PDB file of all heavy atoms in Angstrom:
ATOM      1  N   GLU Y  97     -12.626  15.902   6.111  1.00 84.00           N
ATOM      2  CA  GLU Y  97     -14.073  15.867   5.869  1.00 84.00           C
ATOM      3  C   GLU Y  97     -14.686  14.582   6.431  1.00 84.00           C
ATOM      4  O   GLU Y  97     -15.761  14.609   7.035  1.00 84.00           O
ATOM      5  CB  GLU Y  97     -14.346  15.979   4.369  1.00 84.00           C
ATOM      6  CG  GLU Y  97     -15.800  16.103   4.019  1.00 84.00           C
ATOM      7  CD  GLU Y  97     -16.383  17.445   4.439  1.00 84.00           C
ATOM      8  OE1 GLU Y  97     -15.640  18.434   4.526  1.00 84.00           O
ATOM      9  OE2 GLU Y  97     -17.599  17.491   4.679  1.00 84.00           O
ATOM     10  N   LYS Y  98     -13.986  13.472   6.251  1.00 78.00           N
ATOM     11  CA  LYS Y  98     -14.479  12.200   6.758  1.00 78.00           C
ATOM     12  C   LYS Y  98     -14.531  12.204   8.287  1.00 78.00           C
ATOM     13  O   LYS Y  98     -15.509  11.752   8.886  1.00 78.00           O
ATOM     14  CB  LYS Y  98     -13.578  11.058   6.279  1.00 78.00           C
ATOM     15  CG  LYS Y  98     -14.056   9.685   6.661  1.00 78.00           C
ATOM     16  CD  LYS Y  98     -13.154   8.613   6.090  1.00 78.00           C
ATOM     17  CE  LYS Y  98     -13.627   7.244   6.489  1.00 78.00           C
ATOM     18  NZ  LYS Y  98     -12.777   6.196   5.930  1.00 78.00           N
ATOM     19  N   ASP Y  99     -13.489  12.735   8.930  1.00 76.00           N
ATOM     20  CA  ASP Y  99     -13.470  12.817  10.396  1.00 76.00           C
ATOM     21  C   ASP Y  99     -14.584  13.719  10.906  1.00 76.00           C
ATOM     22  O   ASP Y  99     -15.221  13.425  11.922  1.00 76.00           O
ATOM     23  CB  ASP Y  99     -12.116  13.333  10.885  1.00 76.00           C
ATOM     24  CG  ASP Y  99     -11.000  12.330  10.686  1.00 76.00           C
ATOM     25  OD1 ASP Y  99     -11.305  11.132  10.467  1.00 76.00           O
ATOM     26  OD2 ASP Y  99      -9.822  12.743  10.752  1.00 76.00           O
ATOM     27  N   LYS Y 100     -14.825  14.822  10.210  1.00 74.00           N
ATOM     28  CA  LYS Y 100     -15.871  15.743  10.615  1.00 74.00           C
ATOM     29  C   LYS Y 100     -17.245  15.071  10.515  1.00 74.00           C
ATOM     30  O   LYS Y 100     -18.061  15.198  11.426  1.00 74.00           O
ATOM     31  CB  LYS Y 100     -15.840  16.992   9.734  1.00 74.00           C
ATOM     32  CG  LYS Y 100     -16.814  18.065  10.164  1.00 74.00           C
ATOM     33  CD  LYS Y 100     -16.588  19.360   9.407  1.00 74.00           C
ATOM     34  CE  LYS Y 100     -17.132  19.244   8.007  1.00 74.00           C
ATOM     35  NZ  LYS Y 100     -17.112  20.524   7.279  1.00 74.00           N
ATOM     36  N   ASN Y 101     -17.491  14.336   9.447  1.00 72.00           N
ATOM     37  CA  ASN Y 101     -18.765  13.645   9.278  1.00 72.00           C
ATOM     38  C   ASN Y 101     -18.942  12.530  10.298  1.00 72.00           C
ATOM     39  O   ASN Y 101     -20.039  12.326  10.828  1.00 72.00           O
ATOM     40  CB  ASN Y 101     -18.899  13.087   7.861  1.00 72.00           C
ATOM     41  CG  ASN Y 101     -19.081  14.182   6.833  1.00 72.00           C
ATOM     42  OD1 ASN Y 101     -19.467  15.293   7.156  1.00 72.00           O
ATOM     43  ND2 ASN Y 101     -18.781  13.868   5.589  1.00 72.00           N
ATOM     44  N   THR Y 102     -17.875  11.804  10.598  1.00 74.00           N
ATOM     45  CA  THR Y 102     -17.935  10.733  11.593  1.00 74.00           C
ATOM     46  C   THR Y 102     -18.215  11.305  12.970  1.00 74.00           C
ATOM     47  O   THR Y 102     -19.040  10.780  13.721  1.00 74.00           O
ATOM     48  CB  THR Y 102     -16.615   9.944  11.612  1.00 74.00           C
ATOM     49  OG1 THR Y 102     -16.372   9.421  10.305  1.00 74.00           O
ATOM     50  CG2 THR Y 102     -16.672   8.799  12.597  1.00 74.00           C
ATOM     51  N   SER Y 103     -17.555  12.393  13.319  1.00 74.00           N
ATOM     52  CA  SER Y 103     -17.756  13.035  14.610  1.00 74.00           C
ATOM     53  C   SER Y 103     -19.189  13.539  14.742  1.00 74.00           C
ATOM     54  O   SER Y 103     -19.821  13.372  15.792  1.00 74.00           O
ATOM     55  CB  SER Y 103     -16.776  14.194  14.764  1.00 74.00           C
ATOM     56  OG  SER Y 103     -17.014  14.895  15.952  1.00 74.00           O
ATOM     57  N   LEU Y 104     -19.708  14.130  13.683  1.00 70.00           N
ATOM     58  CA  LEU Y 104     -21.079  14.625  13.708  1.00 70.00           C
ATOM     59  C   LEU Y 104     -22.076  13.476  13.870  1.00 70.00           C
ATOM     60  O   LEU Y 104     -23.023  13.583  14.642  1.00 70.00           O
ATOM     61  CB  LEU Y 104     -21.380  15.402  12.427  1.00 70.00           C
ATOM     62  CG  LEU Y 104     -22.775  15.986  12.299  1.00 70.00           C
ATOM     63  CD1 LEU Y 104     -22.979  17.040  13.380  1.00 70.00           C
ATOM     64  CD2 LEU Y 104     -22.968  16.595  10.926  1.00 70.00           C
ATOM     65  N   ALA Y 105     -21.842  12.373  13.179  1.00 71.00           N
ATOM     66  CA  ALA Y 105     -22.731  11.218  13.292  1.00 71.00           C
ATOM     67  C   ALA Y 105     -22.700  10.630  14.710  1.00 71.00           C
ATOM     68  O   ALA Y 105     -23.737  10.232  15.231  1.00 71.00           O
ATOM     69  CB  ALA Y 105     -22.327  10.157  12.282  1.00 71.00           C
TER      70      ALA Y 105
END
Side-chain angles (χ1 to χ4, degrees):
E97 186 70 27
K98 184 177 179 179
D99 290 344
K100 185 171 76 172
N101 290 340
T102 302
S103 175
L104 180 64

